[in-house]
Amino acid sequence: MSSLIAATRLSVLDRSRTREGQDGPRALRDTVALARELEALGYHRFWVSEHHGVPGVAGSAPTVLAAAVAAATGTIRVGTGGVMLPNHQPLVVAEQFGVLESLFPGRIDMGLGRSVGFTDGIRRALGRDKKDADDFAGQLDELLGWFTGTQTAYPRVHARPAEGLRVAPYVLATGEGAAVAAAAGLPLVIGDLKGRSKVVAAIERYRAGFRPSVWSAEPYVVVAGTVAVAATEEEAARLLVPEAWSLAYSRTEGVFPPLAPPERIERLTMTARQREFYESALRGHIHGTEEQVRDALEEAVKQTGADEILVTTSTYDRAALLDSYARLARLAGLTSVNA
């Protein structure tokens, strides 16, 4: 076992992906079940995501889903990866996380992103516009102020029960958002493992610009990405096929579909453009046997200086996905709560 990997926290973000022949409610129940299974394997935290109007993703209300996950588990940290702050009023977000922290003290993470609904129709339905993402830093400052009681935009208004609580905040970012995290003195979640050089450059800027805050005294970096582990490199590569095809289909058809079985995808006749997107989506992820993945993760941690790896793998075969997570836990030396 690599001492470097053993010293790096390992966590999971599950996007509640739907699978062909299964509906959204099943995907949400699978997410809660996966959290229980990963807690037993010794993972550090489990996060859920926010997507609106996406056919292949059931997770549209992350704080509600996080509550279900936290209620079904007992030790693993639970949070959002993330709540898209421009979609919401900061007061409401503070209230929701205040309730979560009150019910599950010391276990809640508040992962925050700057995206808005991905189509004009969804943005209108949310009452938002693309420009609402432009003031993410201001929205973040207001949100944190509801917890500390220092917000000044709305005098004599208080967020109950959030005020006075310390819910751990994280900023989800591509290169641009790293500066926001640094200025706010918050931990950074950045991905993915594919675009290594861009990620490394953004992390360096984040560390250089970090200003200590009441939330975090030092920089903290979580690097997110796909990791697939199996008995053979070929089996691990097949775990990547369903998500790669969903991405290729969404880029060419405008619809993000449920995950399909890899054997059916491999028989498809793809257009040249679909094939290009598909093959691109398969490249750059960490996958292979336990030994291969251990070596690749060690290199990724060395390059990025990551304090934590957040695994975001999706695939059609749920049993194979759980096996991948079990192998990853073993190679990382995680301690099972059932041991």
mmCIF file of all heavy atoms in Angstrom, residues 220-248:
data_model
loop_
_atom_site.group_PDB
_atom_site.id
_atom_site.type_symbol
_atom_site.label_atom_id
_atom_site.label_comp_id
_atom_site.label_asym_id
_atom_site.label_seq_id
_atom_site.Cartn_x
_atom_site.Cartn_y
_atom_site.Cartn_z
ATOM 1 N N TYR A 220 -7.103 23.844 1.389
ATOM 2 C CA TYR A 220 -7.456 22.417 1.391
ATOM 3 C C TYR A 220 -7.986 22.092 0.004
ATOM 4 O O TYR A 220 -8.906 22.754 -0.488
ATOM 5 C CB TYR A 220 -8.518 22.122 2.454
ATOM 6 C CG TYR A 220 -8.803 20.641 2.636
ATOM 7 C CD1 TYR A 220 -8.053 19.885 3.522
ATOM 8 C CD2 TYR A 220 -9.822 20.009 1.915
ATOM 9 C CE1 TYR A 220 -8.305 18.521 3.706
ATOM 10 C CE2 TYR A 220 -10.080 18.658 2.085
ATOM 11 C CZ TYR A 220 -9.322 17.915 2.978
ATOM 12 O OH TYR A 220 -9.578 16.581 3.144
ATOM 13 N N VAL A 221 -7.404 21.089 -0.636
ATOM 14 C CA VAL A 221 -7.723 20.784 -2.031
ATOM 15 C C VAL A 221 -8.312 19.390 -2.170
ATOM 16 O O VAL A 221 -7.704 18.402 -1.745
ATOM 17 C CB VAL A 221 -6.473 20.907 -2.922
ATOM 18 C CG1 VAL A 221 -6.792 20.476 -4.358
ATOM 19 C CG2 VAL A 221 -5.944 22.335 -2.903
ATOM 20 N N VAL A 222 -9.492 19.343 -2.764
ATOM 21 C CA VAL A 222 -10.142 18.079 -3.121
ATOM 22 C C VAL A 222 -10.145 17.991 -4.644
ATOM 23 O O VAL A 222 -10.689 18.866 -5.318
ATOM 24 C CB VAL A 222 -11.592 18.022 -2.596
ATOM 25 C CG1 VAL A 222 -12.220 16.666 -2.923
ATOM 26 C CG2 VAL A 222 -11.644 18.301 -1.101
ATOM 27 N N VAL A 223 -9.526 16.951 -5.195
ATOM 28 C CA VAL A 223 -9.509 16.759 -6.640
ATOM 29 C C VAL A 223 -10.528 15.679 -6.997
ATOM 30 O O VAL A 223 -10.500 14.570 -6.449
ATOM 31 C CB VAL A 223 -8.110 16.366 -7.144
ATOM 32 C CG1 VAL A 223 -8.144 16.080 -8.641
ATOM 33 C CG2 VAL A 223 -7.115 17.483 -6.856
ATOM 34 N N ALA A 224 -11.455 16.024 -7.901
ATOM 35 C CA ALA A 224 -12.534 15.112 -8.279
ATOM 36 C C ALA A 224 -12.238 14.459 -9.618
ATOM 37 O O ALA A 224 -11.628 15.066 -10.503
ATOM 38 C CB ALA A 224 -13.855 15.874 -8.349
ATOM 39 N N GLY A 225 -12.698 13.221 -9.781
ATOM 40 C CA GLY A 225 -12.517 12.564 -11.063
ATOM 41 C C GLY A 225 -13.020 11.130 -11.056
ATOM 42 O O GLY A 225 -13.398 10.587 -10.013
ATOM 43 N N THR A 226 -13.022 10.535 -12.236
ATOM 44 C CA THR A 226 -13.469 9.153 -12.415
ATOM 45 C C THR A 226 -12.337 8.186 -12.107
ATOM 46 O O THR A 226 -11.221 8.347 -12.604
ATOM 47 C CB THR A 226 -13.956 8.943 -13.855
ATOM 48 O OG1 THR A 226 -15.108 9.751 -14.080
ATOM 49 C CG2 THR A 226 -14.310 7.485 -14.107
ATOM 50 N N VAL A 227 -12.643 7.183 -11.299
ATOM 51 C CA VAL A 227 -11.690 6.120 -10.980
ATOM 52 C C VAL A 227 -12.440 4.795 -11.079
ATOM 53 O O VAL A 227 -13.478 4.625 -10.431
ATOM 54 C CB VAL A 227 -11.101 6.282 -9.565
ATOM 55 C CG1 VAL A 227 -10.101 5.160 -9.278
ATOM 56 C CG2 VAL A 227 -10.445 7.643 -9.391
ATOM 57 N N ALA A 228 -11.942 3.882 -11.899
ATOM 58 C CA ALA A 228 -12.594 2.579 -12.078
ATOM 59 C C ALA A 228 -11.574 1.471 -11.835
ATOM 60 O O ALA A 228 -10.497 1.473 -12.437
ATOM 61 C CB ALA A 228 -13.182 2.460 -13.483
ATOM 62 N N VAL A 229 -11.924 0.526 -10.969
ATOM 63 C CA VAL A 229 -11.021 -0.555 -10.608
ATOM 64 C C VAL A 229 -11.726 -1.893 -10.847
ATOM 65 O O VAL A 229 -12.899 -2.055 -10.504
ATOM 66 C CB VAL A 229 -10.593 -0.471 -9.126
ATOM 67 C CG1 VAL A 229 -9.355 -1.325 -8.885
ATOM 68 C CG2 VAL A 229 -10.357 0.964 -8.695
ATOM 69 N N ALA A 230 -11.017 -2.839 -11.445
ATOM 70 C CA ALA A 230 -11.586 -4.164 -11.703
ATOM 71 C C ALA A 230 -10.465 -5.190 -11.697
ATOM 72 O O ALA A 230 -9.287 -4.855 -11.500
ATOM 73 C CB ALA A 230 -12.324 -4.173 -13.044
ATOM 74 N N ALA A 231 -10.833 -6.447 -11.919
ATOM 75 C CA ALA A 231 -9.840 -7.524 -11.901
ATOM 76 C C ALA A 231 -8.839 -7.383 -13.034
ATOM 77 O O ALA A 231 -7.677 -7.782 -12.901
ATOM 78 C CB ALA A 231 -10.544 -8.877 -11.978
ATOM 79 N N THR A 232 -9.282 -6.832 -14.169
ATOM 80 C CA THR A 232 -8.389 -6.618 -15.308
ATOM 81 C C THR A 232 -8.552 -5.194 -15.822
ATOM 82 O O THR A 232 -9.569 -4.530 -15.564
ATOM 83 C CB THR A 232 -8.688 -7.584 -16.462
ATOM 84 O OG1 THR A 232 -9.986 -7.264 -17.010
ATOM 85 C CG2 THR A 232 -8.675 -9.036 -15.988
ATOM 86 N N GLU A 233 -7.566 -4.727 -16.569
ATOM 87 C CA GLU A 233 -7.648 -3.392 -17.145
ATOM 88 C C GLU A 233 -8.813 -3.289 -18.123
ATOM 89 O O GLU A 233 -9.489 -2.261 -18.205
ATOM 90 C CB GLU A 233 -6.337 -3.057 -17.855
ATOM 91 C CG GLU A 233 -6.269 -1.632 -18.371
ATOM 92 C CD GLU A 233 -4.929 -1.294 -18.988
ATOM 93 O OE1 GLU A 233 -4.047 -2.178 -19.019
ATOM 94 O OE2 GLU A 233 -4.762 -0.149 -19.437
ATOM 95 N N GLU A 234 -9.076 -4.375 -18.853
ATOM 96 C CA GLU A 234 -10.162 -4.380 -19.836
ATOM 97 C C GLU A 234 -11.518 -4.245 -19.148
ATOM 98 O O GLU A 234 -12.400 -3.510 -19.612
ATOM 99 C CB GLU A 234 -10.117 -5.662 -20.670
ATOM 100 C CG GLU A 234 -8.906 -5.782 -21.582
ATOM 101 C CD GLU A 234 -7.610 -6.091 -20.828
ATOM 102 O OE1 GLU A 234 -7.678 -6.600 -19.672
ATOM 103 O OE2 GLU A 234 -6.538 -5.797 -21.386
ATOM 104 N N GLU A 235 -11.710 -4.957 -18.044
ATOM 105 C CA GLU A 235 -12.974 -4.860 -17.313
ATOM 106 C C GLU A 235 -13.159 -3.455 -16.737
ATOM 107 O O GLU A 235 -14.274 -2.907 -16.747
ATOM 108 C CB GLU A 235 -13.001 -5.887 -16.180
ATOM 109 C CG GLU A 235 -13.151 -7.328 -16.631
ATOM 110 C CD GLU A 235 -13.104 -8.283 -15.449
ATOM 111 O OE1 GLU A 235 -13.948 -8.125 -14.536
ATOM 112 O OE2 GLU A 235 -12.239 -9.159 -15.423
ATOM 113 N N ALA A 236 -12.091 -2.863 -16.246
ATOM 114 C CA ALA A 236 -12.181 -1.510 -15.713
ATOM 115 C C ALA A 236 -12.542 -0.521 -16.817
ATOM 116 O O ALA A 236 -13.347 0.397 -16.610
ATOM 117 C CB ALA A 236 -10.856 -1.122 -15.063
ATOM 118 N N ALA A 237 -11.959 -0.711 -18.007
ATOM 119 C CA ALA A 237 -12.256 0.177 -19.128
ATOM 120 C C ALA A 237 -13.724 0.094 -19.526
ATOM 121 O O ALA A 237 -14.336 1.098 -19.906
ATOM 122 C CB ALA A 237 -11.365 -0.168 -20.317
ATOM 123 N N ARG A 238 -14.319 -1.087 -19.429
ATOM 124 C CA ARG A 238 -15.730 -1.250 -19.800
ATOM 125 C C ARG A 238 -16.655 -0.515 -18.836
ATOM 126 O O ARG A 238 -17.758 -0.121 -19.210
ATOM 127 C CB ARG A 238 -16.114 -2.733 -19.856
ATOM 128 C CG ARG A 238 -15.458 -3.481 -20.982
ATOM 129 C CD ARG A 238 -16.101 -4.819 -21.235
ATOM 130 N NE ARG A 238 -17.251 -4.700 -22.120
ATOM 131 C CZ ARG A 238 -18.415 -5.307 -21.908
ATOM 132 N NH1 ARG A 238 -18.604 -6.034 -20.828
ATOM 133 N NH2 ARG A 238 -19.401 -5.176 -22.762
ATOM 134 N N LEU A 239 -16.206 -0.305 -17.595
ATOM 135 C CA LEU A 239 -17.015 0.463 -16.653
ATOM 136 C C LEU A 239 -17.193 1.903 -17.126
ATOM 137 O O LEU A 239 -18.170 2.568 -16.774
ATOM 138 C CB LEU A 239 -16.362 0.455 -15.269
ATOM 139 C CG LEU A 239 -16.316 -0.871 -14.515
ATOM 140 C CD1 LEU A 239 -15.569 -0.708 -13.204
ATOM 141 C CD2 LEU A 239 -17.712 -1.398 -14.263
ATOM 142 N N LEU A 240 -16.268 2.390 -17.932
ATOM 143 C CA LEU A 240 -16.317 3.774 -18.400
ATOM 144 C C LEU A 240 -17.256 3.968 -19.588
ATOM 145 O O LEU A 240 -17.633 5.096 -19.908
ATOM 146 C CB LEU A 240 -14.914 4.232 -18.812
ATOM 147 C CG LEU A 240 -13.805 4.081 -17.781
ATOM 148 C CD1 LEU A 240 -12.461 4.482 -18.390
ATOM 149 C CD2 LEU A 240 -14.099 4.910 -16.538
ATOM 150 N N VAL A 241 -17.636 2.887 -20.257
ATOM 151 C CA VAL A 241 -18.373 2.956 -21.525
ATOM 152 C C VAL A 241 -19.740 3.630 -21.386
ATOM 153 O O VAL A 241 -20.080 4.517 -22.186
ATOM 154 C CB VAL A 241 -18.498 1.551 -22.140
ATOM 155 C CG1 VAL A 241 -19.518 1.525 -23.281
ATOM 156 C CG2 VAL A 241 -17.133 1.092 -22.657
ATOM 157 N N PRO A 242 -20.585 3.262 -20.407
ATOM 158 C CA PRO A 242 -21.932 3.866 -20.351
ATOM 159 C C PRO A 242 -21.915 5.384 -20.193
ATOM 160 O O PRO A 242 -22.667 6.093 -20.874
ATOM 161 C CB PRO A 242 -22.572 3.178 -19.138
ATOM 162 C CG PRO A 242 -21.865 1.861 -19.046
ATOM 163 C CD PRO A 242 -20.449 2.170 -19.409
ATOM 164 N N GLU A 243 -21.080 5.908 -19.320
ATOM 165 C CA GLU A 243 -21.031 7.356 -19.124
ATOM 166 C C GLU A 243 -20.439 8.050 -20.352
ATOM 167 O O GLU A 243 -20.888 9.137 -20.737
ATOM 168 C CB GLU A 243 -20.211 7.689 -17.876
ATOM 169 C CG GLU A 243 -20.198 9.160 -17.507
ATOM 170 C CD GLU A 243 -21.516 9.666 -16.952
ATOM 171 O OE1 GLU A 243 -22.418 8.841 -16.646
ATOM 172 O OE2 GLU A 243 -21.667 10.894 -16.812
ATOM 173 N N ALA A 244 -19.448 7.421 -20.979
ATOM 174 C CA ALA A 244 -18.846 8.016 -22.176
ATOM 175 C C ALA A 244 -19.881 8.152 -23.291
ATOM 176 O O ALA A 244 -19.929 9.171 -23.992
ATOM 177 C CB ALA A 244 -17.668 7.163 -22.648
ATOM 178 N N TRP A 245 -20.723 7.130 -23.454
ATOM 179 C CA TRP A 245 -21.748 7.205 -24.493
ATOM 180 C C TRP A 245 -22.808 8.261 -24.137
ATOM 181 O O TRP A 245 -23.273 9.006 -25.006
ATOM 182 C CB TRP A 245 -22.412 5.853 -24.714
ATOM 183 C CG TRP A 245 -23.647 5.939 -25.580
ATOM 184 C CD1 TRP A 245 -24.923 5.628 -25.241
ATOM 185 C CD2 TRP A 245 -23.704 6.409 -26.933
ATOM 186 N NE1 TRP A 245 -25.771 5.865 -26.274
ATOM 187 C CE2 TRP A 245 -25.053 6.342 -27.340
ATOM 188 C CE3 TRP A 245 -22.749 6.879 -27.832
ATOM 189 C CZ2 TRP A 245 -25.473 6.731 -28.603
ATOM 190 C CZ3 TRP A 245 -23.162 7.265 -29.097
ATOM 191 C CH2 TRP A 245 -24.518 7.187 -29.473
ATOM 192 N N SER A 246 -23.199 8.348 -22.870
ATOM 193 C CA SER A 246 -24.166 9.372 -22.466
ATOM 194 C C SER A 246 -23.642 10.766 -22.780
ATOM 195 O O SER A 246 -24.378 11.632 -23.272
ATOM 196 C CB SER A 246 -24.467 9.255 -20.970
ATOM 197 O OG SER A 246 -25.288 8.149 -20.698
ATOM 198 N N LEU A 247 -22.371 10.993 -22.507
ATOM 199 C CA LEU A 247 -21.776 12.298 -22.800
ATOM 200 C C LEU A 247 -21.739 12.568 -24.299
ATOM 201 O O LEU A 247 -22.067 13.669 -24.754
ATOM 202 C CB LEU A 247 -20.365 12.363 -22.211
ATOM 203 C CG LEU A 247 -20.284 12.432 -20.686
ATOM 204 C CD1 LEU A 247 -18.857 12.206 -20.211
ATOM 205 C CD2 LEU A 247 -20.802 13.767 -20.181
ATOM 206 N N ALA A 248 -21.351 11.553 -25.083
ATOM 207 C CA ALA A 248 -21.295 11.718 -26.538
ATOM 208 C C ALA A 248 -22.686 11.984 -27.106
ATOM 209 O O ALA A 248 -22.858 12.841 -27.981
ATOM 210 C CB ALA A 248 -20.686 10.470 -27.179
#
